[in-house]
């Protein structure tokens, strides 16, 4: 069994999850607290990858990221690398594709805190960032853990978008799910079994962790 | 003395608040009125938690809000003890207290940790998680937490409302002792008159999003008709008098009010003792001539001081002078016109009923 796809998958999922936690936090915070009419619009946009066929997302990304398009062209001018059929391109695609899996748990966590404890913190002299760091974040700890696990696991499990944007280049874009596809195509069932069993076990454990976390009584805001 | 100067408006779909007041703050000041009258909203507005409010809030010379600037809640130095306490569930009691103490402005004098723990008996609770606390304990922690942030002004939103009677009685002494231990002004929201009477030096009365009056607490208590405890105050006067004599066979007691005689239902008071009577404006009628053949026994000579006509209703209120004492009569506007009432008119006040208000109210501050 070639460990290349495993290593690549872990790297992709790790980088994607890290970016998603950073990008998803302000977005989830805004969605949880906004009274703007644009709120539902952004909520729907965030949730799109849940219902959209990966091929649709992959197709549009291919159009947007290829070096002839403005975004892809800019990236190539700055980094000298292409956004299509490259690891960077996979990261961009994965971030978009896994966005709802990170944003929604965070949004739920922030929304369930309500404004009460944050108002209390404000009247005690805590500024906005201070309130976020010392009150909202620790209260959302479980939401963060759920978001990280789901974001990571979902990125590990993606196939269609990766195939559309990254293709199947060993060592560069060939993640586990793509490797399995190729092994099945080439009738290499032994390796396909190993990778599939690995993904099955990993996915089950990840979900088990998430559901165990959410079963434990949430700290109630008093 | 620190002064709270407010001139604010807040418009909601089903509620509007418009408050203009200048309140001298020392010790505990009660913000009293019926539920739903906007007291909590006003408190939140002072604390900086109502961003939609328009107008001006100044405390002790510091502008907290005007047309150009809105100082955010965390920079106001207005501590707010919420009715639902809002303790941080991820911290212990000590953690909650330290959260506030760490953010207290070092330059501002105020509560320190040992004094606060001692004053509110928080020692045994320090290591507890806040989830396990009783309602009264939770309130004590919330009060302590707010004090430790060293606010310039402490706002308290019905801290006793969520507690049962026993717990209320337990917590009240702690609150009562706050002004002597901590040199901060307190604005205390309540709809319970007994809390007002017990705690407050001054009282501000609020209903329907407006401030109706403010005065020293005894004066406010005198002016309120206490029967509907949380209702609007009904106008009337308190008359200080002296028992003259009793007529046991008629079950009547004669009372001297500013040199005139009033007979009231028999009273178990020795002749010569001072009493306070409450006469509601609606129980007083007026006559230009001394009426004869009438059942009303109490006819007092009076002089018109002011006539207050309420164009929105059928009524006018007439303030009368009885040799220095005052009486209020509520009559229809039509009668006021017909009688041709003018300030200075001499006439007769007919008192239909008198309520005994016990000893003259006194309160040591």
């Amino acid at each position: 069994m070639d460990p290349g796809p495993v290593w690549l998958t872990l790297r992709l999922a790790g980088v994607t999850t890290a970016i998603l936690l950073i990008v998803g936090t302000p977005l989830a915070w805004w969605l949880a607290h906004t009274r703007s009419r644009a709120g539902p619009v952004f909520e729907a946009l965030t949730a799109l990858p849940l219902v959209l066929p990966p091929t649709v997302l992959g197709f549009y990304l291919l159009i947007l990221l290829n070096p002839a398009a403005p975004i892809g062209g800019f990236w190539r001018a700055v980094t000298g690398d292409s956004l299509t059929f490259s690891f960077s391109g996979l990261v961009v695609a994965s971030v978009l594709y896994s966005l709802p899996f990170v944003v929604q748990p965070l949004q739920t966590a922030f929304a369930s805190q309500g404004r009460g404890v944050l108002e209390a913190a404000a009247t005690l002299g805590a500024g906005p960032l201070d309130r976020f760091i010392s009150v909202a974040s620790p209260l959302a700890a479980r939401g963060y853990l759920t978001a990280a696990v789901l974001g990571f696991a979902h990125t590990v499990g993606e196939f269609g978008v990766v195939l559309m944007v990254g293709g199947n280049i060993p060592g560069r874009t060939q993640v586990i799910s793509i490797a399995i596809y190729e092994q099945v195509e080439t009738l290499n069932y032994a390796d396909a079994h190993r990778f599939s069993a690995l993904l099955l076990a990993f996915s089950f454990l990840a979900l088990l962790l998430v559901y165990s976390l959410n079963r434990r009584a949430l700290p109630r805001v008093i | 003395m620190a002064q709270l100067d407010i001139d604010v408006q807040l418009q909601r779909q089903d509620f509007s608040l418009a408050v203009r007041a200048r309140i001298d703050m020392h010790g505990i000041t009660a913000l009293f009125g019926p539920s739903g009258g906007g007291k909590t909203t006003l408190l939140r507005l002072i604390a900086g938690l109502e961003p939609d409010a328009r107008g001006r809030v100044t405390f002790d010379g510091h502008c907290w809000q005007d047309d150009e600037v809105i100082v955010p809640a965390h920079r106001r130095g207005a501590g707010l003890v919420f009715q639902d306490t809002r303790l941080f569930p991820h911290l212990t009691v000590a953690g909650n207290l330290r959260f506030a103490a760490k953010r207290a402005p070092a330059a501002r004098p105020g509560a320190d940790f040992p004094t606060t723990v001692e004053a509110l008996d928080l020692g045994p609770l320090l290591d507890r998680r806040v989830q396990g606390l009783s309602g009264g304990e939770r309130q004590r922690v919330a009060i302590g937490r707010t004090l430790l942030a060293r606010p310039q002004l402490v706002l308290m939103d019905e801290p006793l409302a969520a507690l049962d009677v026993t717990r209320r009685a337990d917590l009240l002494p702690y609150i009562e002792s706050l002004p002597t231990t901590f040199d901060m002004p307190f604005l205390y929201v309540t709809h319970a008159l007994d809390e007002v009477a017990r705690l407050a030096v001054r009282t501000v009365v609020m209903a329907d999003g407006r401030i109706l009056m403010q005065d020293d607490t005894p004066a406010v208590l005198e002016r309120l008709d206490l029967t509907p405890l949380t209702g609007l105050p009904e106008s009337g006067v308190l008359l200080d008098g002296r028992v003259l004599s009793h007529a046991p066979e008629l079950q009547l007691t004669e009372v001297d009010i500013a040199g005139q005689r009033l007979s009231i239902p028999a009273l178990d008071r020795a002749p010569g003792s001072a009493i306070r009577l409450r006469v509601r404006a609606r129980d007083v009628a007026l006559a230009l001539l001394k009426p004869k053949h009438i059942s009303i026994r109490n006819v007092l000579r009076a002089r018109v001081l002011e006539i207050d006509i309420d164009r929105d209703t059928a009524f006018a209120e007439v303030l009368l002078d009885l040799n220095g004492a005052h009486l209020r009569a509520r009559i229809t506007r039509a009668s006021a016109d017909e009688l041709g009432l003018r300030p200075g008119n001499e006439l007769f006040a007919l008192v239909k009923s008198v309520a005994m208000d016990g000893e003259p109210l006194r309160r040591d501050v």
Side-chain angles (χ1 to χ4, degrees), chain B residues 220-273:
Chain B
V220 169
L221 290 179
E222 284 166 23
R223 286 170 64 179
L224 292 177
D225 185 339
L226 307 184
T227 9
L229 268 187
T230 55
L232 293 175
E234 189 181 1
S235 65
V237 292
L238 291 162
L239 292 174
D240 285 325
R242 208 162 40 81
V243 173
L244 289 175
S245 59
H246 296 289
E249 69 284 3
L250 296 171
Q251 284 292 308
L252 285 175
T253 297
E254 292 279 302
V255 181
D256 171 80
I257 302 285
Q260 302 197 60
R261 281 174 167 253
L262 207 62
S263 64
I264 62 173
L267 208 61
D268 187 20
R269 292 288 164 93
S273 53

Side-chain angles (χ1 to χ4, degrees), chain A residues 35 115-131 133-140 218-222, chain B residues 44 47 49 51-52 73-75 78-80 82 84-90 96 99-100 103-104 130-131 138 145-146 149:
Chain A
R35 282 182 282 178
R115 287 175 184 268
V117 282
L118 295 176
E119 285 183 350
T123 62
L124 296 170
L129 189 63
D130 186 4
R131 296 201 286 273
I133 293 171
S134 45
V135 180
S137 295
L139 287 178
L218 292 164
R220 284 238 303 280
V221 175
I222 297 166
Chain B
R44 290 175 52 83
L49 299 176
D52 299 334
H74 65 278
R75 295 220 198 91
L80 176 50
F82 295 87
D84 53 356
T85 71
R86 303 193 181 176
L87 300 180
F88 301 127
H90 62 298
N96 270 274
F99 184 100
R103 287 159 179 81
V130 297
Q131 283 89 344
R138 217 171 275 162
R145 188 176 69 165
T146 295

Side-chain angles (χ1 to χ4, degrees), chain B residues 333-344:
Chain B
R333 287 199 275 136
S335 305
D337 279 350
E338 256 177 57
L339 295 176
L341 290 188
R342 296 278 177 283

Side-chain angles (χ1 to χ4, degrees), chain B residues 315-334:
Chain B
F315 297 99
E317 281 203 0
V318 184
L319 185 65
L320 304 161
D321 175 64
L322 309 165
N323 302 336
H326 288 166
L327 202 58
R328 255 176 193 284
R330 183 176 166 86
I331 61 176
T332 59
R333 287 199 275 136

